[in-house]
Amino acid sequence: MPPNVPAYLLLALILAGTAASAARRHSPPVNATSAGAPVYIWPLPSSATSGNRTLTVDPDLALDPKGPGGASPAVAEAFQRYRGLVFAPWAHAARSRGGRYDVAKLTVVVASANETLALGVDESYAIYVAAAGGVNSIVGGATIEANTIYGAIRGLETFSQLCVFNYDTKNVEVRNAPWHILDEPRFPFRGLLLDTSRHYLPVDVIKQVIDSMSFAKLNVLHWHIIDEQSFPLEVPSYPNLWKGSYSKWERYTVEDAQDIVSYAKKRGINVMAEIDVPGHAESWGNGYPKLWPSPNCTEPLDVSSNFTFEVISGILSDMRKIFPFGLFHLGGDEVYTGCWNVTPHVKQWLNKHNMTTKDAYKYFVLKAQELAIKLNWIPVNWEETFNSFKENLNPLTVVHNWLGPGVCPKVVEKGFRCIMSNQGVWYLDHLDVPWEDVYSGEPLEGISNKDQQKLVLGGEVCMWGETADTSDVLQTIWPRAAAAAERMWSPLEAISAQDLETTVLSRLHYFRCLLNHRGIAAAPVTNYYARRPPIGPGSCFVQ
Amino acid sequence: MPKTVSHGTQRLYVKKDITMSMVGSTYSDEKSILKDAFQRMVDLITLNHVIDGINPSSLVLTCVNIVVHTPDDELNFGADESYNLTVPTTGDPLYAQIEAQTVFGALHGLQTFSQLCYFGFTSRLIELNSAPWIITDAPRFPYRGLLIDTARHYLPVKIIKGVIDAMTYSKLNVLHWHIVDEQSFPIEVPSYPKLWNGSYSYSERYTMSDAIDIVRYAERRGVNVLAEIDVPGHARSWGIGYPSLWPSDICREPLDVSKNFTFEVIDGILSDFSKVFKFKFAHLGGDEVNTSCWTTTPHIEGWLNNNHMNVSDAYRDFVLRSQKIAISHGYDIINWEETFNNFGDKLDRKTVVHNWLGEDVAPKVVAAGLRCIVSNQDKWYLDHLDASWEGFYMNEPLKGINDTKQQQLVIGGEVCMWGEEIDASDIEQTIWPRAAAAAERLWTPTEKLANDTRFVTSRLARFRCLLNQRGVAAAPLAGYGRSSPTGPGPCVRQ
């Protein structure tokens, strides 16, 4: 507990804590208010108790920062953002003069001033909202308590979802108060993949995606920057790589990438960069044709040439200055080694080293892993690397599942860490996967051993870009990504306790409308195929 | 495409913190319309890139001087939107100049300037190619509209503002807000507060403050907001709050023509609207009126008989009475073409007839001496996904009108984004890039328009990529409206 928290707050928290533990004894469903209505917070918090009072919130709501981290500019900035989301632009002018509001300030207590964002950072928080003079409260107002600024940012998101506009009084209100919420994520890695190689996504669009991720408490943007189609990122060490961009406008400078990373960090989101070697790298050779086995056989990268690994090393060193996240994705999927066999100088090299193409694939991946580890990165690789040579993978490796179900159990059994992205449920480019199926994706499926469960870092929904560009990326991601976000954030018991077609559906409708309200082009929930237009006129809450 | 353009071959660089001056203006910019627009323009050309290349010692634009000749900052129909833009290659300091009669002309000048500039990934500077530029420009039509429909699906305020932003990029200047229809009544009407009960849900609503916010947002960008109530045919949702507006509980449309209360409500709505929507025109709809409820509801049937009217007479009287109410609140009227087709000679002479059914209507309207807006559905209805951008581009509002006086009665045209299958998730990509094709038709002088759309493709593809860069979800050119890209590829080739 931070030393400078005033006594009244401590008391409030103790009381609240008592209420919460009492609540746990009676185990009320976390997905319902005291009146039995669904809790319209997405994703569901770990525990929440509510009452039956309605509190008004001052349009000039003030931030009351407490604790060593409370005064962090990141907290103040996040507070401003959320105030802008909760109140209309005219709210301040419409404020009743001398009017009394139940909630006039939001106290944010942050125990640590450390702004480092890393895998496993403490994202827990508690919220307490009550009226002055209420039976259960010492003091009126709203309080968010967190150990880190990132927990506080999650709490602000939840608080913003508690605030609703009253169209009769024109006030923003918190209904069903007093609220006491204790919350933390189930998994430390809750990812979304964006692919800027199949289609370039402008920086502004990536920022919209990051905003929307923070609304659903996702915390890792997996940036699949480069693939065989295009190489949009600037690499100062090898400046010709940029020639592989689609056009001279469809590019990111180093500073653009840094801008994206810092924008994401302010929202508690890590950026995990990927270079997908050796299989998905044809575009590299536009600037350096020597990276191709030959001009007419251009993939995978030439395993026989030192230059290949010099370039990888150069890219990684440059990227290390951009991407502080501890994990780096090295791809390693879908490697068709035909070119290695048919290109004489590569074939010769294989023979000389007594390697099959399979050996060479392993050699390539392991060598790339070493380069990443040398830069203090934990390597992440697609599951083919594990499937092909699990016994040789560096023990640090995080294996990224995609091909199908049942992979993470094998991965964790071997002691590796795992990220679940089973394409049957969590590939967003599969338009025929309805939200219910996305919601059913369970990262711990088939893993009962507690220690092995801990090796599952979480999961990731993947927005591959073959048919997704600026015009349709957001509505292909949302609302389905939200279904996975709840799966990864909320306690399993709470998820299982809800009825899919009533409670969850109405909550997801609500969240989709919230995304729309915030300007995010989330598609209708109940269309069978993703990103389809609404089938006819109607309310957002039923489509 | 501007009216006249001449340019050279010199590349200039735009200083990162380029400034604006107003030397020679009689306009004071008290409301900061120009200053804010300039800042937005700088943000658009910078696009958050770090601009840190070394400026050469010359050929650097340091300033845009904007000369506005009139002090007025009220946006009015027919406001002078012309501007001249010059970007010289000599001078110390080197500055571009925009000259306009009104601040709203100057806003268009800034939009054009923004399209000359782009970030150079090699120089790490903002570049401006092909200087010197001398551009003189003015719109062909004073009315260049886009309809949005918030009754079939509610559109959040943020989404509407996004649409307005994108409109300014292609110099459209009227947002036709089809606010209410039979499905829902999202807007607050203080005089008749229960009308709001007709909203889809408690929160799919606009307060009066929201509407003011939208109008103000649009006006500061040179975009007028045209409000519509579509009477008597498209108004079923009104009766949720006031059931006596329906002929009966089982026959709910059109509005009850026999009751004074109906017209009191219309008067209340338009009175409230007149405080918010300051555009010269109000749109009163009047299309698709199926009058069968009037003849099958006994009290209306009786009223018709007492007044010796058939349903056509009643339809006419309803429209004309509504027109009078709107005029009493200071509005000029726009009505859909059915009103003209049925009783064109009775319409108030100031009526603007809004075409939609087919393409041969405008000639008849202007021959009758009334003004016209063209929106023939086969070419300019954005909800027709099979209407191609080529069709949008080639649709000529003056087709079949040779008399110059009659031509002047065509005040412009409008592309219509009807909302049956449009919500916050797909509105932008259904509007763009096709609306941009119509925008050029409405802005650019005839002699500068392409006769063959093959000469337009690469320019429109570029403009679509520009919209994408600016965060607008404009769809690929290829395929039907709002089609997804069919495979990987560069933006300009899709």
Side-chain angles (χ1 to χ4, degrees):
Chain A
M1 187 58 67
N4 55 348
V5 174
Y8 70 83
L9 260 178
L10 283 174
L11 196 49
L13 288 165
I14 290 161
L15 282 183
T18 315
S21 51
R24 268 197 292 276
R25 274 199 303 278
H26 300 294
S27 56
V30 69
N31 60 345
T33 65
S34 58
V39 169
Y40 290 107
I41 298 171
W42 195 282
L44 263 185
S46 324
S47 98
T49 61
S50 55
N52 50 22
R53 295 228 9 215
T54 294
L55 307 180
T56 55
V57 185
D58 193 332
D60 290 348
L61 183 71
L63 172 67
D64 170 30
K66 292 259 158 66
S72 150
V75 171
E77 236 183 89
F79 176 78
Q80 288 301 337
R81 269 200 320 273
Y82 281 106
R83 205 165 67 167
L85 289 176
V86 166
F87 294 99
W90 45 264
H92 168 76
R95 186 178 186 269
S96 66
R97 253 184 231 106
R100 289 204 157 269
Y101 295 91
D102 299 315
V103 181
K105 69 174 181 183
L106 177 63
T107 302
V108 178
V109 191
V110 184
S112 162
N114 187 347
E115 299 197 355
T116 310
L117 179 63
L119 183 71
V121 71
D122 188 328
E123 295 177 276
S124 69
Y125 66 91
I127 292 183
Y128 191 63
V129 192
V135 198
N136 295 322
S137 72
I138 306 302
V139 64
T143 303
I144 294 174
E145 263 241 339
N147 289 320
T148 70
I149 59 172
Y150 301 106
I153 287 170
R154 301 287 172 254
L156 282 165
E157 173 59 43
T158 300
F159 178 75
S160 77
Q161 294 191 24
L162 289 176
C163 293
V164 294
F165 183 73
N166 182 321
Y167 281 82
D168 300 313
T169 63
K170 313 278 173 17
N171 281 325
V172 167
E173 298 174 345
V174 173
R175 294 174 195 166
N176 302 306
W179 279 96
H180 181 239
I181 294 172
L182 291 171
D183 200 9
E184 62 182 345
R186 184 153 73 108
F187 292 105
F189 187 110
R190 304 179 305 282
L192 167 74
L193 177 146
L194 275 187
D195 169 3
T196 57
S197 175
R198 274 58 178 257
H199 285 96
Y200 174 81
L201 296 171
V203 174
D204 201 51
V205 176
I206 295 178
K207 288 182 176 175
Q208 289 176 32
V209 171
I210 291 170
D211 282 334
S212 63
M213 288 173 70
S214 71
F215 302 154
K217 299 191 174 78
L218 292 173
N219 73 345
V220 179
L221 175 68
H222 173 179
W223 189 2
H224 186 87
I225 311 176
I226 303 153
D227 207 293
E228 54 187 37
Q229 287 84 357
S230 77
F231 196 117
L233 182 70
E234 177 179 30
V235 176
S237 307
Y238 290 92
N240 288 349
L241 286 169
W242 225 5
K243 291 190 175 161
S245 69
Y246 273 138
S247 69
K248 62 177 178 173
W249 298 285
E250 288 163 297
R251 289 179 169 179
Y252 308 101
T253 62
V254 167
E255 290 80 3
D256 289 338
Q258 283 166 341
D259 182 31
I260 287 167
V261 170
S262 87
Y263 190 90
K265 185 181 177 188
K266 287 176 182 168
R267 288 151 183 82
I269 293 169
N270 297 284
V271 181
M272 176 174 74
E274 174 176 357
I275 57 169
D276 193 348
V277 294
H280 285 264
E282 191 187 1
S283 66
W284 300 28
N286 291 323
Y288 299 97
K290 276 198 313 189
L291 293 167
W292 293 328
S294 75
N296 49 29
C297 217
T298 52
E299 218 170 44
L301 294 168
D302 187 343
V303 63
S304 73
S305 129
N306 274 332
F307 181 63
T308 303
F309 295 96
E310 283 165 23
V311 171
I312 291 176
S313 174
I315 294 173
L316 291 178
S317 313
D318 285 353
M319 284 194 174
R320 199 56 179 122
K321 294 169 200 147
I322 304 173
F323 301 103
F325 190 43
L327 274 55
F328 187 88
H329 207 301
L330 287 169
D333 59 316
E334 300 183 313
V335 180
Y336 306 109
T337 50
C339 275
W340 287 348
N341 256 331
V342 300
T343 307
H345 80 268
V346 184
K347 180 73 185 163
Q348 238 168 19
W349 181 89
L350 290 173
N351 290 341
K352 190 177 150 200
H353 292 85
N354 206 14
M355 279 192 204
T356 63
T357 53
K358 223 184 140 189
D359 297 334
Y361 166 42
K362 180 176 71 187
Y363 162 84
F364 198 114
V365 168
L366 298 181
K367 198 158 172 179
Q369 285 200 332
E370 273 168 37
L371 293 173
I373 290 166
K374 219 183 282 172
L375 290 165
N376 202 23
W377 258 322
I378 294 167
V380 183
N381 273 109
W382 293 107
E383 67 168 90
E384 285 96 324
T385 57
F386 172 83
N387 302 342
S388 306
F389 44 88
K390 49 177 89 53
E391 57 288 344
N392 304 103
L393 279 179
N394 190 294
L396 279 173
T397 308
V398 177
V399 177
H400 195 167
N401 150 251
W402 72 279
L403 283 164
V407 177
C408 279
K410 293 183 202 148
V411 169
V412 297
E413 207 197 330
K414 292 284 172 201
F416 291 103
R417 288 172 290 181
C418 192
I419 296 165
M420 197 282 264
S421 289
N422 170 12
Q423 61 173 338
V425 287
W426 283 6
Y427 263 30
L428 295 166
D429 54 317
H430 291 207
L431 302 181
D432 57 353
V433 179
W435 75 269
E436 294 94 331
D437 292 4
V438 178
Y439 198 77
S440 75
E442 172 51 50
L444 296 187
E445 191 179 339
I447 305 169
S448 43
N449 178 304
K450 287 264 183 288
D451 290 332
Q452 289 183 9
Q453 287 184 344
K454 283 186 194 135
L455 293 174
V456 178
L457 297 179
E460 179 179 301
V461 286
C462 300
M463 182 64 273
W464 293 107
E466 280 83 353
T467 67
D469 65 6
T470 300
S471 72
D472 60 351
V473 69
L474 280 163
Q475 59 272 37
T476 318
I477 295 174
W478 306 105
R480 292 182 302 159
E486 176 151 297
R487 173 63 61 173
M488 293 188 279
W489 177 279
S490 306
L492 191 53
E493 317 82 71
I495 287 178
S496 317
Q498 302 179 92
D499 183 76
L500 208 56
E501 293 304 332
T502 55
T503 313
V504 185
L505 179 57
S506 84
R507 290 180 51 248
L508 187 55
H509 269 139
Y510 190 91
F511 184 68
R512 182 247 165 171
C513 299
L514 178 81
L515 290 173
N516 284 175
H517 184 76
R518 293 179 176 186
I520 303 297
V525 176
T526 43
N527 289 346
Y528 182 80
Y529 290 102
R531 80 169 169 225
R532 290 287 162 92
I535 51 164
S539 166
C540 176
F541 294 97
V542 296
Q543 294 197 317
Chain B
M1 182 84 87
K3 196 167 158 191
T4 72
V5 180
S6 76
H7 66 86
T9 55
Q10 180 63 52
R11 172 177 293 175
L12 302 180
Y13 298 93
V14 179
K15 198 161 169 245
K16 183 171 83 176
D17 41 10
I18 186 168
T19 55
M20 178 189 107
S21 63
M22 288 173 46
V23 178
S25 286
T26 53
Y27 165 80
S28 63
D29 203 33
E30 251 167 56
K31 294 182 195 155
S32 197
I33 294 174
L34 203 49
K35 196 167 138 272
D36 291 356
F38 185 80
Q39 188 52 51
R40 287 197 301 274
M41 186 280 291
V42 171
D43 291 346
L44 285 180
I45 61 177
T46 312
L47 286 172
N48 289 312
H49 289 302
V50 172
I51 314 291
D52 63 355
I54 311 289
N55 277 319
S57 52
S58 61
L59 301 174
V60 178
L61 272 183
T62 57
C63 175
V64 180
N65 186 52
I66 304 176
V67 186
V68 178
H69 290 304
T70 56
D72 198 30
D73 59 10
E74 296 292 323
L75 182 62
N76 284 312
F77 174 69
D80 190 321
E81 295 178 278
S82 68
Y83 68 92
N84 296 330
L85 167 64
T86 53
V87 184
T89 51
T90 54
D92 185 24
L94 191 57
Y95 65 94
Q97 174 139 316
I98 293 170
E99 197 180 349
Q101 293 303 312
T102 70
V103 60
F104 303 106
L107 298 185
H108 292 313
L110 285 171
Q111 287 297 341
T112 300
F113 183 79
S114 79
Q115 293 193 27
L116 298 180
C117 303
Y118 58 89
F119 177 72
F121 280 84
T122 313
S123 66
R124 303 172 63 89
L125 293 167
I126 298 168
E127 299 174 359
L128 192 161
N129 280 349
S130 310
W133 287 89
I134 302 171
I135 295 174
T136 62
D137 204 5
R140 182 153 74 110
F141 294 105
Y143 185 108
R144 305 179 305 282
L146 166 71
L147 176 145
I148 58 166
D149 170 3
T150 57
R152 274 57 179 258
H153 285 95
Y154 174 80
L155 297 169
V157 175
K158 276 219 172 77
I159 301 289
I160 296 179
K161 288 182 177 174
V163 169
I164 293 168
D165 284 334
M167 287 174 72
T168 66
Y169 303 154
S170 59
K171 301 190 174 77
L172 293 173
N173 72 344
V174 180
L175 178 70
H176 174 178
W177 187 3
H178 186 86
I179 311 175
V180 184
D181 208 294
E182 53 189 56
Q183 289 83 355
S184 77
F185 198 114
I187 197 167
E188 178 181 29
V189 176
S191 304
Y192 291 91
K194 284 190 204 162
L195 287 170
W196 227 7
N197 295 357
S199 67
Y200 271 135
S201 67
Y202 183 72
S203 61
E204 285 167 294
R205 289 178 169 182
Y206 308 101
T207 64
M208 274 283 137
S209 302
D210 287 332
I212 292 167
D213 183 34
I214 287 168
V215 169
R216 187 170 166 275
Y217 188 91
E219 282 180 352
R220 293 176 65 80
R221 285 157 180 78
V223 175
N224 297 282
V225 179
L226 168 70
E228 175 176 357
I229 52 169
D230 195 347
V231 295
H234 284 265
R236 195 179 66 222
S237 65
W238 300 29
I240 306 284
Y242 299 97
S244 66
L245 292 168
W246 292 328
S248 73
D249 272 357
I250 51 165
C251 217
R252 299 181 164 185
E253 215 170 47
L255 294 169
D256 188 341
V257 63
S258 73
K259 288 204 191 82
N260 273 330
F261 180 62
T262 303
F263 297 93
E264 284 164 19
V265 172
I266 291 175
D267 185 58
I269 294 173
L270 291 172
S271 163
D272 287 351
F273 274 15
S274 67
K275 293 165 198 144
V276 177
F277 299 104
K278 302 295 189 186
F279 191 39
K280 180 187 178 74
F281 299 99
H283 203 303
L284 291 176
D287 58 317
E288 299 184 313
V289 181
N290 175 346
T291 52
S292 58
C293 275
W294 288 348
T295 46
T296 58
T297 306
H299 80 267
I300 302 180
E301 173 77 16
W303 180 87
L304 289 172
N305 290 339
N306 287 342
N307 290 282
H308 308 290
M309 276 192 208
N310 60 29
V311 287
S312 305
D313 299 333
Y315 166 40
R316 181 194 64 218
D317 277 19
F318 195 113
V319 168
L320 298 180
R321 193 166 164 190
S322 305
Q323 287 201 335
K324 286 207 181 74
I325 294 170
I327 290 164
S328 78
H329 293 292
Y331 284 121
D332 277 13
I333 313 305
I334 303 177
N335 270 115
W336 293 108
E337 66 167 84
E338 286 96 323
T339 59
F340 173 81
N341 301 342
N342 285 291
F343 44 87
D345 53 332
K346 301 288 192 308
L347 287 173
D348 184 276
R349 297 303 295 164
K350 279 159 105 184
T351 306
V352 178
V353 177
H354 194 166
N355 149 253
W356 72 279
L357 285 164
E359 61 169 28
D360 55 346
V361 178
K364 293 179 200 152
V365 172
V366 295
L370 295 177
R371 290 175 292 177
C372 190
I373 297 164
V374 170
S375 291
N376 47 312
Q377 58 175 341
D378 55 329
K379 297 294 195 300
W380 275 5
Y381 264 28
L382 291 160
D383 53 316
H384 290 210
L385 300 181
D386 56 350
S388 65
W389 72 261
E390 290 91 343
F392 273 79
Y393 191 89
M394 294 309 289
N395 193 42
E396 172 51 49
L398 298 185
K399 189 177 171 191
I401 305 170
N402 302 316
D403 179 289
T404 359
K405 280 229 174 74
Q406 289 185 8
Q407 287 183 346
Q408 277 161 13
L409 293 173
V410 178
I411 63 174
E414 179 178 300
V415 289
C416 300
M417 184 64 281
W418 293 107
E420 281 83 353
E421 295 190 357
I422 296 299
D423 64 13
S425 72
D426 61 347
I427 183 165
E428 284 191 345
Q429 58 273 38
T430 317
I431 293 176
W432 308 106
R434 292 179 300 158
E440 175 148 301
R441 171 66 53 177
L442 289 166
W443 177 277
T444 302
T446 328
E447 60 276 14
K448 284 293 180 91
L449 290 165
N451 292 319
D452 184 332
T453 52
R454 279 177 300 177
F455 300 115
V456 182
T457 313
S458 72
R459 287 179 52 243
L460 186 60
R462 272 288 189 86
F463 185 71
R464 182 245 166 174
C465 299
L466 181 76
L467 289 173
N468 283 178
Q469 292 279 5
R470 294 176 177 185
V472 180
L477 269 60
Y480 287 129
R482 76 162 169 246
S483 288
S484 292
T486 51
C491 179
V492 290
R493 281 199 231 123
Q494 298 200 315

